[in-house]
Amino acid sequence: MTAQAILEANRIGMTFDTPSGAVEAIREVSFELEAGEIVALIGPSGCGKSTLFNIISGLLDPSRGEVRIGGVDGISRSVGYMLQKDLLLPWRTVIDNVVLGLEVRGVAKSESYPKAQALIEAYGLAGFENARPTTLSGGMRQRVAIMRTLAFDPTVVLLDEPFSALDFQTRTLLQTDVARIIGEQQKSAVLITHDIGEAITMADRIVVLTQRPSTVMRELSVNIDREDRSPIALRSNPRYNELFIQVWNDLQQDVKVA
C-alpha cells in the first residue's frame, strides 16, 4: 500500500461453487484508492463489480487476495455503502433516516441529531427534516441516502450505481452534486457504473474491467479540474471526449475478443 492509499485491493479473486460446478467471477483485480479520491469501476454487465463491492465491504470473503482499509485486513465498519435504491424507511422522517446508521451504532441522540441536521442544512434539504420519504422526489431521496451514508463518518464510501433509477436530468445533476459532497466531507469513494459519462464526471481515476472472469484492462486518470465538471462544460471538454472514446473502445474490444 502506498503512503496515501486508504484502500488497497490486492490480487482479488472470487470463485463460486454452484450445483453445476465452480464459476470464476473475478480472476485477478488490484487497485488502490487514495485519500480524497473517487475511483470508478466500469465494465460489462456480469463482470463481477457488485461481487467486488461485497468483498470490499466485508459481506464476502474473497477466494484469493486481500482488501486492506486504512492498513487493516478484513471486515471494516469504516465502509459506507450507497445502493442503487435509496432504501429509506417510509415510516421515518428525513432526519430519522439520516441518523439510522448512527442509531444502530449506539450513538446518543444528543450527538447524532445535530450531525444529521448539519448535513441536511448543508446539502439542500433544510425545511424537509420532518417530511416522509414518500413526499420527496427521487433526487431528494438520493440526497437523504448519501447523508445517511456519510453521517457515521466512514473511511470509504461505496457507490453502487446510485443514480441508475433516476431520470436523465436528475441523474446528471446529482453526479456533480454527490461528487462535490464527498469532496467537501473529505471522503474517499469507489463508484460502480455502466455509464462512461458518469465515470468521467465523478471520478479522479477510471478502472476498466474485462468480462467475467474479470481482470483490470486499463487504469485512466481523468485529469479534469473539478470546477470544469459541470454537465455542460464537460461535454465540450476535449479530455472528456478523449476519455469517453478510450473507455468505449476498450469495452467494445473486450466484447469482440470474447
Side-chain angles (χ1 to χ4, degrees), residues 80-196:
Y81 207 147
M82 186 175 174
L83 301 167
Q84 295 176 25
K85 296 182 179 180
D86 57 70
L87 299 180
L88 301 181
L89 300 180
W91 60 89
R92 297 181 70 123
T93 63
V94 165
I95 195 165
D96 288 337
N97 270 285
V98 174
V99 302
L100 182 60
L102 294 169
E103 185 179 305
V104 169
R105 287 164 174 77
V107 177
K109 289 184 178 181
S110 59
E111 179 183 346
S112 64
Y113 278 83
K115 181 178 287 189
Q117 185 65 39
L119 287 168
I120 288 168
E121 291 177 0
Y123 300 118
L125 286 180
F128 291 90
E129 294 86 347
N130 296 313
R132 304 286 178 179
T134 53
T135 68
L136 305 179
S137 67
M140 294 168 75
R141 290 172 64 100
Q142 285 299 79
R143 280 191 177 88
V144 176
I146 189 64
M147 292 175 198
R148 179 184 59 195
T149 302
L150 293 171
F152 71 91
D153 198 29
T155 302
V156 174
V157 178
L158 304 181
L159 305 169
D160 188 356
E161 297 190 77
F163 315 121
S164 60
L166 302 173
D167 63 84
F168 175 79
Q169 182 178 4
T170 302
R171 182 170 69 246
T172 302
L173 292 172
L174 275 179
Q175 289 165 3
T176 52
D177 203 21
V178 169
R180 175 181 60 83
I181 291 170
I182 289 171
E184 290 175 352
Q185 293 291 314
Q186 299 181 323
K187 297 302 176 187
S188 307
V190 184
L191 167 72
I192 282 179
T193 182
H194 289 96
D195 185 331
I196 300 173

Side-chain angles (χ1 to χ4, degrees), residues 172 176 200-201 224-241:
T172 302
T176 52
I200 301 170
T201 299
I224 300 175
D225 291 340
R226 282 282 166 203
E227 55 267 28
D228 296 327
R229 302 280 189 106
S230 73
I232 299 302
L234 267 180
R235 269 49 177 189
S236 59
N237 188 309
R239 178 60 177 162
Y240 175 92
N241 293 304

